[in-house]
Amino acid sequence: MSFKQLSLIEPLLRALATEGYERPTPIQEQSIPIVLQGRDLLGCAQTGTGKTAAFSLPILQHLYTKKAAHPKAIRCLILTPTRELAIQIDDSIKAYGRNTHIKHQVIFGGVSQYAQTEGLKRHPEILTATPGRLLDLMNQGYISLKDIEIFVLDEADRMLDMGFIHDVKKVIAKLPAKRQTLFFSATMPPEISNLANSILTDPLRVEVTPVSSTAEKVSQEVYFVGKADKRHLLKHLLKDSAIRSVLVFTRTKHGANKVAGDLTKSGVHAEAIHGNKSQNARQAALANFKNGKTRVLVATDIAARGIDIEELSHVINYELPNVPETYVHRIGRTGRAGASGIALSFCEAEEIPYLKDIQKLIGQQVPVVTDHPYAADLTAPALPAPRGKEKPAPKPAVEKTPASQRPDTILLPERRPDKHYNNQRQKQGGGQQKPANSGQNRPHEKPAEPKNQQQGNAAQNKSRPPKHERRDRPAGAGEQKPAQHKTEASNSFMSRNNRFASILEVAGIEKQDRPQKQGGDRREDRNRQERRNDGRPPFNGDRKKRR
C-alpha cells in the first residue's frame, strides 16, 4: 500500500516524497484512515515504527481542508513528556507540512519563555508542548485551549513514569468536551488503559506489535563483567572501527558524566546528555552526535524515548535497566525504520535478576559473549517456560493411613466427663440430671430451666417475706444471724443457674448498707437554723455586707 491509497492530499504526498517515504508503516496504515474519519484513537506500537507521522499527517490534512471557526485560535494540541520529543515532533510537522503553510509552535521548559511567547503572538494552529511550560503560560494568559479541535497525548506511559499525570489531568480539564482525542503509547499497562478510558470516546484500538516485542533486525548480546571492569571493557570495544556511532545508556546522571569523562581522557570524543544539562547544551550534544562530530553519546533514559537518531549502528547498555520495558526502548534507538543495528549489554553479578526479567519480557534468551579479556564467572539465567502450554504431571495418589496405625502419631487420652462437677450441678438443680450434651452450650447462651425447677423457685419466692421485712426483722432463737443469712442468700443466688444480679440491684444494696453522712451542707444547715437572738435573718448569700 502507498500513501496515495490512504486518501492523503497532494501537498502532503509531495512532502513525503521529498522526505523519501515510499510506503506507510503498519501503524501509519491503520491509524491514518481512522483519524481522517474523526474517530478517537488508542494506538499502541513499538518505538521507532513511525507514530509521529501516523497522527501528524491526518492532522495537517484536517487543518488544511477545514476552515477554523476562529482564525487566530489554537486548533491542535500535542502533549509530550520531554523537550527532545517535543522538538522532534515539531520538526516532523514542519517537514510534512512544508507545502500547507500551516503555522506551528513548540514550547518547553528549561529555557527563556520570551522566544516562545513571541511565537505564540503569530497565532499558530498546531501547538506542541510539555506539560509544565504549557500550564505556566496558561496561567499567565498567553494560551487558551477553548478552541482545541484535536488533542494528542504522545508517549503516555512515559508521561506517567515521569510523574506528569496530575499536570496532564489539569490540561485535560481545560479542553472542550467536544474534541477528537488521539492517545499513543509504546506500552499499554493497566494504568494507561484506565487513563485512556477516561478521556477517549468510543475509541478504535490499533496495536501493531506486542508490548514485549523488540526490533527484529537488532542483534542482541550480553557481556558478563565485573563492575570495576566495565569502563575498561567499553574502551576495549570502542577500539573497533566498525562502531561508527554508539549511544551508551546509564541509570544515573552522575554515571553518565563519569563515563563520558573517562572516554574523553582516553581520547574518545564523547558527550553526556541528561536532565541536569541545560536545554542549549542538550541540543548542542544531540546536534553534534547526529552530524558525526561526536562518536559516543552517553545518556540516561530521558533520551531512550522519542529521540530519532538516524544511522545509529550500536547501542550499549553500560548498566542494565531495572525496568524490563526500558530495555526495549533503549535498543529501539537502533534498527529504526527497518535498518539493522547491534545492542550490547554489560551485566555484573547484581544485575542478573534484571537480565532475567528482560529475557522473560522479550521471550528469548540473549546470547552471552565470553571471548573478551574482562569476562566474569557468572551463569546466565535460564529462560522461563511459557505458561499454559505444558500441563504439570499429575501427582501420584497417596493412600491415607488411619491415625491409629501411623507410627509417628501420638494418640491423645480419651476425654472423660468430670463426675465431681456433674454431682455439684445435680445438687444445686434439685436432683435433676443435666442432659449429656448440655456441656456443649457456649458460655454466653442461657440454658433452659426444667419445669420442676422453675416451679420450685416460684414457691420458694412466695414463702419468703419481702426484702424490707427480712432485713429489719430481728434474729430469733430459731433463726440464723445476719452473717449466716447473707451466706444463705448467696447460696440461693448461685443455685439459680449462676445468673448474675443486675447492676441496679447491686447498686441498691450497696446504697442501703452505706452509712449516712454526719451533717449536710453547711449553707443548708445554716439556713434551717432558727433566728438568732439579735433578730437578724439567717445568711443566705443575698444580704449585702454592711460596714
Side-chain angles (χ1 to χ4, degrees):
M1 179 179 287
S2 63
F3 284 102
K4 190 174 182 179
Q5 295 175 338
L6 297 176
S7 302
L8 293 178
I9 58 178
E10 187 64 25
L12 296 179
L13 294 177
R14 285 190 281 116
L16 291 174
T18 304
E19 293 293 323
Y21 295 169
E22 298 178 356
R23 295 181 180 180
T25 61
I27 185 68
Q28 297 168 0
E29 182 179 343
Q30 299 184 37
S31 301
I32 291 176
I34 296 174
V35 180
L36 289 176
Q37 295 174 8
R39 297 286 302 274
D40 286 4
L41 177 66
L42 176 61
C44 178
Q46 179 183 323
T47 181
T49 55
K51 294 194 300 293
T52 303
F55 63 79
S56 299
L57 293 173
I59 287 175
L60 288 169
Q61 181 165 330
H62 171 81
L63 300 181
Y64 184 79
T65 56
K66 294 184 180 181
K67 293 183 179 181
H70 300 54
K72 297 182 179 181
I74 300 174
R75 303 176 62 185
C76 175
L77 173 64
I78 303 174
L79 204 59
T80 64
T82 62
R83 317 169 202 174
E84 289 78 14
L85 182 55
I87 296 173
Q88 175 192 324
I89 293 175
D90 186 69
D91 292 341
S92 299
I93 293 175
K94 180 180 179 180
Y96 304 148
R98 65 180 65 187
N99 301 321
T100 61
H101 305 291
I102 294 177
K103 297 179 182 179
H104 54 89
Q105 177 67 30
V106 58
I107 59 174
F108 46 82
V111 295
S112 174
Q113 71 177 27
Y114 177 76
Q116 300 174 5
T117 54
E118 290 296 317
L120 291 173
K121 293 179 181 179
R122 294 191 289 269
H123 308 291
E125 296 184 67
I126 302 177
L127 179 64
T128 306
T130 54
R133 178 54 62 91
L134 175 62
L135 289 174
D136 187 14
L137 296 182
M138 287 172 59
N139 294 332
Q140 297 181 39
Y142 287 104
I143 298 176
S144 175
L145 304 180
K146 62 181 181 179
D147 297 316
I148 293 295
E149 300 175 14
I150 302 176
F151 171 61
V152 181
L153 183 61
D154 194 20
E155 297 287 350
D157 53 348
R158 184 64 175 172
M159 201 83 74
L160 294 180
D161 295 340
M162 298 179 67
F164 292 153
I165 181 60
H166 299 292
D167 293 341
V168 172
K169 291 181 178 179
K170 291 179 182 178
V171 173
I172 294 174
K174 300 294 183 181
L175 296 175
K178 188 177 180 181
R179 68 176 187 273
Q180 183 181 6
T181 305
L182 310 180
F183 193 100
F184 286 91
S185 178
T187 59
M188 199 64 62
E191 295 83 2
I192 297 299
S193 299
N194 296 335
L195 178 62
N197 294 333
S198 63
I199 65 176
L200 295 176
T201 303
D202 191 20
L204 294 178
R205 184 184 179 98
V206 175
E207 187 171 0
V208 177
T209 52
V211 175
S212 60
S213 65
T214 54
E216 297 178 357
K217 295 187 178 182
V218 176
S219 175
Q220 305 174 55
E221 295 177 349
V222 62
Y223 290 76
F224 286 149
V225 60
K227 185 176 182 179
D229 295 331
K230 282 187 176 182
R231 58 193 183 96
H232 302 298
L233 178 60
L234 180 59
K235 296 175 186 178
H236 172 74
L237 295 177
L238 291 178
K239 292 179 181 179
D240 187 1
S241 59
I243 303 179
R244 303 182 304 274
S245 60
V246 57
L247 182 60
V248 180
F249 284 106
T250 61
R251 281 200 299 264
T252 62
K253 305 170 186 177
H254 174 72
N257 291 332
K258 186 176 181 180
V259 172
D262 291 342
L263 292 177
T264 302
K265 292 179 181 179
S266 62
V268 179
H269 191 192
E271 292 186 83
I273 176 176
H274 50 74
N276 286 353
K277 295 281 186 177
S278 65
Q279 184 61 30
N280 295 332
R282 292 162 67 174
Q283 289 300 117
L286 280 175
N288 294 335
F289 187 68
K290 291 181 179 180
N291 297 334
K293 296 181 180 180
T294 302
R295 185 187 178 192
V296 180
L297 181 65
V298 186
T300 56
D301 290 324
I302 190 173
R305 304 289 292 273
I307 303 304
D308 189 6
I309 303 174
E310 297 179 359
E311 298 180 359
L312 179 62
S313 61
H314 288 72
V315 168
I316 295 180
N317 291 304
Y318 189 84
E319 296 171 330
L320 285 179
N322 52 0
V323 179
E325 290 81 4
T326 306
Y327 174 83
V328 179
H329 305 316
R330 284 183 178 184
I331 69 173
R333 298 305 99 204
T334 183
R336 298 178 71 84
S340 60
I342 299 176
L344 309 178
S345 301
F346 297 169
C347 181
E348 57 180 288
E350 296 179 357
E351 296 174 334
I352 292 293
Y354 301 158
L355 180 60
K356 182 178 180 181
D357 295 339
I358 290 171
Q359 294 182 156
K360 181 179 180 181
L361 178 69
I362 64 178
Q364 63 183 15
Q365 194 164 9
V366 182
V368 180
V369 178
T370 57
D371 187 14
H372 63 91
Y374 305 100
D377 188 12
L378 299 175
T379 304
L383 186 66
R387 296 181 179 179
K389 293 186 178 181
E390 298 182 1
K391 295 183 179 179
K395 296 181 180 181
V398 180
E399 297 182 1
K400 295 184 178 180
T401 307
S404 58
Q405 300 179 7
R406 297 177 191 171
D408 56 342
T409 304
I410 301 177
L411 298 179
L412 297 176
E414 184 180 357
R415 185 175 179 180
R416 298 179 181 180
D418 192 350
K419 296 182 179 180
H420 177 73
Y421 176 78
N422 292 338
N423 294 337
Q424 293 293 332
R425 299 291 294 174
Q426 291 178 7
K427 291 180 181 179
Q428 295 176 4
Q432 296 291 338
Q433 188 175 359
K434 199 171 183 178
N437 60 348
S438 61
Q440 300 176 0
N441 295 333
R442 289 178 292 182
H444 65 275
E445 292 181 351
K446 179 181 176 181
E449 295 183 355
K451 293 184 179 180
N452 297 340
Q453 185 175 350
Q454 294 178 0
Q455 295 176 0
N457 293 338
Q460 184 179 2
N461 293 336
K462 288 182 180 180
S463 61
R464 303 170 82 180
K467 268 187 177 180
H468 64 276
E469 296 183 5
R470 295 200 308 270
R471 184 177 297 276
D472 300 335
R473 185 176 52 186
E479 295 179 352
Q480 297 178 353
K481 295 182 180 180
Q484 296 177 357
H485 172 72
K486 188 174 182 181
T487 305
E488 229 179 55
S490 63
N491 292 337
S492 61
F493 182 80
M494 293 295 295
S495 65
R496 281 180 277 177
N497 298 323
N498 294 334
R499 290 178 299 175
F500 292 99
S502 65
I503 298 176
L504 296 177
E505 292 179 358
V506 174
I509 295 173
E510 291 180 353
K511 188 174 181 180
Q512 292 179 6
D513 295 342
R514 191 181 304 157
Q516 297 293 334
K517 291 184 178 180
Q518 299 295 333
D521 190 6
R522 293 184 178 181
R523 176 179 291 183
E524 294 179 358
D525 294 345
R526 187 172 182 179
N527 291 338
R528 292 175 183 175
Q529 290 179 357
E530 297 181 358
R531 290 181 177 269
R532 299 183 181 180
N533 298 331
D534 56 1
R536 291 183 299 173
F539 176 72
N540 56 1
D542 295 335
R543 181 169 56 85
K544 294 183 179 180
K545 187 175 182 182
R546 297 179 180 178
R547 294 183 180 179

